[in-house]
Amino acid sequence: MPKILVTVGARSGLHARPASLFVQAAARQPVKVTVGRPGRPPVDAKSLLSVLSLAAEHGHTLQLAAEGEQAQAALDELAQLLSQDLDA
């Protein structure tokens, strides 16, 4: 299962709007995707409540993981999204 580390770029962290954009992008992926803080259990990246529960702030590192045939492409797209300032 491919994994990638990404730093949260949104100045306000993954609060409601950036988390919602991320979850919508994850839901469009044809593979299972999880997200988590290193050292903690991952959560379903397609669940808004689960993503919000991470309490990820600007600059925090998150680990994305995916399984399936298009896993790497999904991770690349989602990592790029998370690294952007989604509040801008």
Side-chain angles (χ1 to χ4, degrees):
M1 174 179 340
K3 298 177 183 179
I4 190 170
L5 292 176
V6 63
T7 302
V8 176
R11 284 176 283 155
S12 58
L14 278 183
H15 67 85
R17 183 176 181 280
S20 177
L21 293 172
F22 172 75
V23 167
Q24 289 172 20
R28 289 191 300 269
Q29 302 305 318
V31 296
K32 178 182 176 183
V33 182
T34 61
V35 59
R37 299 197 39 202
R40 296 186 184 176
V43 300
D44 182 358
K46 298 177 182 184
S47 166
L48 182 59
L49 289 177
S50 295
V51 171
L52 288 171
S53 75
L54 296 172
E57 297 178 14
H58 174 76
H60 282 177
T61 299
L62 297 178
Q63 179 173 293
L64 296 172
E67 60 182 70
E69 199 170 296
Q70 299 174 4
Q72 192 60 53
L75 291 179
D76 292 343
E77 179 181 333
L78 294 172
Q80 181 197 23
L81 185 66
L82 273 181
S83 67
Q84 296 175 14
D85 184 0
L86 298 173
D87 288 318

